[in-house]
Amino acid sequence: MQAERMLEQWQTQGWLRPLDLAFASFIARYEPAQPLVWLAAALCSYQLKQGHVCLDLAKLQADPLLTLGLGAELAPNLQHALQQQLAAADVAQWHSALSQSAVVDSGTGTNPLVLTGNRLYLRRYWQYEQDIAAQINQRLAQNEQLTAQLPAEVLLPLIRQLFQQSAPQQSLLQPDWQQLACALACRSAFTVITGGPGTGKTTTVVRLLVLLQLLQLSRQQPLLEIRLAAPTGKAAARLKDSISGAISRLAAINIAGFSQIQQAIPVNVVTIHRLLGVRPGSKSLRFNRYQPLPLDILVLDEASMVDVELMASLLQALPVTARIILLGDKDQLSSVEAGALLAELCKKASAGDYRPATVSWLAAQTGQHIPDELISKDGSLLSQHIVMLRHSHRFGQDSGIGQLAAMVNKGQLDSAIWQEFPAELMLLKEAGTTSADFHQLVLDGGKVAQGYGYQHYLSLIIDDPLQPEQQDSWAQQILCAYSCFQVLAATRKGELGVELLNQQIQQILARAGLIAPEHQWFAGRPVMVTRNDYQLGLMNGDIGICLPKLIVQEDGSVASTLRVAFAVADGIKWVIPARLNAVETVFAMTVHKSQGSEFRHTVLAVAANDDGMLNRELLYTAITRASARFSLICAEPRQLENAVRRQTLRAGGLSLALAD
């Protein structure tokens, strides 16, 4: 049959997965006379791999290649053939076939496919989206009740004290968005605080937690039970450091009752999987809708990295009365798995979309006034719970990294910026990794002051400690030095993909005498955990470094053996290399894996055939991983101009399912 041959052809071409074809074959057994339904089922399954929660039929008809993300993966003749094949049916024909199908319903039944509007879902993902929307809507509905509990005479002096102000202060151009975020979140059971690097998301949330606890004390009520979570171990470690620093800074302010409050604000951060109690070897969770988490407030950092399945499980495990506060950068790459939750929630964040009543309430509570252009009489209910922090303390107006990131975010790129900021930005027009410039970059950052390279951390390993009790602090110093420099890639495979970059960087470092990689495990080898290991307490994304460790023998003598050092909440965890099965060398990592990290010097390597992977979000994420210097390896800068114009919009219907 024609449809069956078409699906097999697509798999032969290498883009349709065997899983997608198998699902279409399963559907065909129930709908043998509906080839359009088979095709829709295969494409709906395929879209999950692309990160989409559903298949948008209207977009599929308008631009099949863009919708399926196949612009660069197929040869021109195959692209043309695919467009012709999918042009044979219009949206009305898709609707007609799907609406009459025995395997499709509108969500009211139990069929494997759900059609709502122009969006076709696998039922499981439709249900995730519905569960998320229901949990958020339930919390949005508490707005009026929580607002009534906040008279201005209680909140205003507390905010002034927290922000060390004797009277309201405001820029002529912009209000203090951190104050507005704190006030808005006090009357909300669901809050999103978004903003780019250095805008103070963590500082804001710590002040918010203190403010909520101060309100509890003022009402003579018990302090709130707070938990902190992040998607990966690496993101959790960064949040822990940021929270600890922010609390220390607040401790210097004379706040009544702060010592008591400080004890009730945790600094330990766990991964979402650990918070939910994922059971080893299964998908069952200790905490769920029937056994909710024992907490009053959950703070979730790096929310852009959370997929719909995990977010649905997390929200269902929250008590009905619990608040949730999402932190993240809406412009970063979305989760590796399906969904773009933070981007969907923050569609109107830049525009503000605040109702006049919200603006008046915030002025009374904080003395801060929102600019007129951010006010809308028709603002959505969701927008009243979202604050975008707009001032970067890391990247000032004179920052080259900040200006480059802003350009990319706006879909614009002026090539002159590389010459304007030579201390912060470098463009290396290389097609490969054989040049002396690339070797110099890897070793010491390219001879730039504080540019860093891998020589920075490897030189510390030579000076290994003489006493076993010094090893933890020594390992901590090496891990910290390693995090100063990182090479990133757009893809895993290819000329400048992660796999080849890791091999070539390892060879460069070996020739320089910095490592001796005769065996798989060698001193200085950095590794990333690629699968959660609950027995070891290591999560996907955790990074460790193989180091010589001094071991005291039974006879009192000291021997040196290789162990892998990981930074964990309570110090350093030393692991025998043989225990680590799911790890990979990480001299280079993908931009996706770098989310939640910050490096002083970041290098992004882009190959000529990376066009299909390059887009605005990927470039923005790579650039903003750097705090002091960003270097780009790209033989053809025109690729960047095309990439910044290419914005990835994942298909989903969460925003449509939320209350107006």
Side-chain angles (χ1 to χ4, degrees), residues 530-571:
T530 58
R531 189 172 61 242
N532 292 344
D533 189 325
Y534 298 99
Q535 290 185 332
L536 289 177
L538 297 174
M539 297 293 114
N540 185 2
D542 285 351
I543 289 179
I545 297 179
C546 185
L547 299 172
K549 187 178 190 299
L550 300 177
I551 306 293
V552 179
Q553 307 293 315
E554 290 184 3
D555 61 1
S557 63
V558 176
S560 178
T561 187
L562 291 177
R563 294 289 187 269
V564 184
F566 292 87
V568 293
D570 54 354

Side-chain angles (χ1 to χ4, degrees), residues 149 212-224 260:
Q149 300 172 7
L212 290 168
Q213 299 288 34
L214 286 171
L215 287 170
Q216 290 294 103
L217 291 179
S218 70
R219 297 164 181 157
Q220 297 184 335
Q221 294 177 351
L223 293 178
L224 301 165
Q260 181 182 356

Side-chain angles (χ1 to χ4, degrees), residues 110-269:
T110 58
N111 289 325
L113 293 168
V114 174
L115 179 65
T116 171
N118 289 324
R119 302 186 310 280
L120 181 68
Y121 293 82
L122 299 185
R123 173 168 292 280
R124 186 158 60 100
Y125 286 86
W126 175 84
Q127 192 62 59
Y128 292 148
E129 198 170 80
Q130 294 300 304
D131 290 345
I132 292 168
Q135 291 290 330
I136 293 176
N137 283 333
Q138 184 269 327
R139 285 173 169 76
L140 296 182
Q142 299 179 34
N143 183 262
E144 289 187 12
Q145 176 188 353
L146 292 171
T147 301
Q149 300 172 7
L150 288 169
E153 60 271 16
V154 173
L155 190 56
L156 183 57
L158 294 177
I159 286 182
R160 290 183 183 177
Q161 186 179 24
L162 278 173
F163 286 86
Q164 301 183 46
Q165 290 181 196
S166 57
Q169 298 174 1
Q170 177 176 330
S171 162
L172 294 175
L173 298 176
Q174 289 289 342
D176 186 331
W177 288 101
Q178 294 190 15
Q179 291 189 43
L180 292 171
C182 288
L184 211 57
C186 282
R187 69 170 196 173
S188 175
F190 177 81
T191 305
V192 179
I193 301 175
T194 186
T199 51
K201 295 184 290 293
T202 306
T203 300
T204 302
V205 83
V206 169
R207 283 173 165 158
L208 168 58
L209 296 177
V210 172
L211 182 58
L212 290 168
Q213 299 288 34
L214 286 171
L215 287 170
Q216 290 294 103
L217 291 179
S218 70
R219 297 164 181 157
Q220 297 184 335
Q221 294 177 351
L223 293 178
L224 301 165
E225 182 68 29
I226 300 169
R227 298 293 299 276
L228 309 174
T232 66
K234 184 168 48 177
R238 280 202 63 219
L239 179 61
K240 177 181 182 293
D241 291 342
S242 299
I243 290 281
S244 300
I247 290 175
S248 298
R249 290 190 294 273
L250 275 182
I253 304 174
N254 186 22
I255 300 173
F258 184 76
S259 58
Q260 181 182 356
I261 289 172
Q262 189 172 2
Q263 300 301 315
I265 296 180
V267 293
N268 287 333
V269 185

Side-chain angles (χ1 to χ4, degrees), residues 377-615:
K377 62 182 180 63
D378 300 318
S380 69
L381 177 58
L382 176 64
S383 294
Q384 315 316 300
H385 298 255
I386 296 176
V387 176
M388 177 177 168
L389 305 180
R390 299 165 190 257
H391 175 68
S392 176
H393 302 277
R394 183 189 305 172
F395 304 134
Q397 291 183 345
D398 297 329
S399 163
I401 295 174
Q403 290 190 38
L404 179 61
M407 281 184 184
V408 169
N409 236 347
K410 294 174 183 176
Q412 305 165 351
L413 188 61
D414 184 351
S415 59
I417 193 169
W418 303 101
Q419 287 75 45
E420 292 176 15
F421 298 94
E424 290 184 62
L425 304 174
M426 182 178 76
L427 176 60
L428 187 60
K429 296 181 181 179
E430 296 286 347
T433 58
T434 58
S435 73
D437 286 340
F438 178 78
H439 288 207
Q440 198 72 60
L441 187 65
V442 166
L443 290 172
D444 59 16
K447 292 294 183 183
V448 176
Q450 294 190 328
Y452 294 109
Y454 287 129
Q455 181 176 287
H456 178 56
Y457 89 91
L458 289 170
S459 63
L460 299 176
I461 299 176
I462 299 171
D463 302 321
D464 54 306
L466 299 177
Q467 301 299 326
E469 62 270 17
Q470 299 173 322
Q471 291 180 112
D472 282 8
S473 59
W474 172 69
Q476 188 72 58
Q477 183 184 10
I478 292 171
L479 284 163
C480 182
Y482 167 81
S483 69
C484 288
F485 178 81
Q486 183 63 56
V487 176
L488 306 179
T491 61
R492 289 193 55 79
K493 299 184 181 296
E495 185 179 1
L496 289 177
V498 164
E499 293 178 2
L500 193 56
L501 279 171
N502 272 315
Q503 294 174 17
Q504 292 171 330
I505 292 172
Q506 185 168 301
Q507 291 171 8
I508 292 169
L509 298 175
R511 284 197 294 269
L514 294 168
I515 58 174
E518 289 87 0
H519 305 285
Q520 178 187 10
W521 289 100
F522 55 86
R525 181 192 178 195
V527 294
M528 175 184 286
V529 177
T530 58
R531 189 172 61 242
N532 292 344
D533 189 325
Y534 298 99
Q535 290 185 332
L536 289 177
L538 297 174
M539 297 293 114
N540 185 2
D542 285 351
I543 289 179
I545 297 179
C546 185
L547 299 172
K549 187 178 190 299
L550 300 177
I551 306 293
V552 179
Q553 307 293 315
E554 290 184 3
D555 61 1
S557 63
V558 176
S560 178
T561 187
L562 291 177
R563 294 289 187 269
V564 184
F566 292 87
V568 293
D570 54 354
I572 295 293
K573 178 188 289 288
W574 295 91
V575 181
I576 298 172
R579 292 286 309 278
L580 296 168
N581 297 316
V583 294
E584 60 185 28
T585 302
V586 69
F587 289 119
M589 69 174 73
T590 62
V591 177
H592 270 99
K593 286 289 189 180
S594 74
Q595 290 186 96
S597 299
E598 177 187 320
F599 313 101
R600 286 192 59 80
H601 185 178
T602 301
V603 178
L604 174 63
V606 175
N609 59 356
D610 282 348
D611 276 353
M613 295 297 298
L614 288 181
N615 55 52

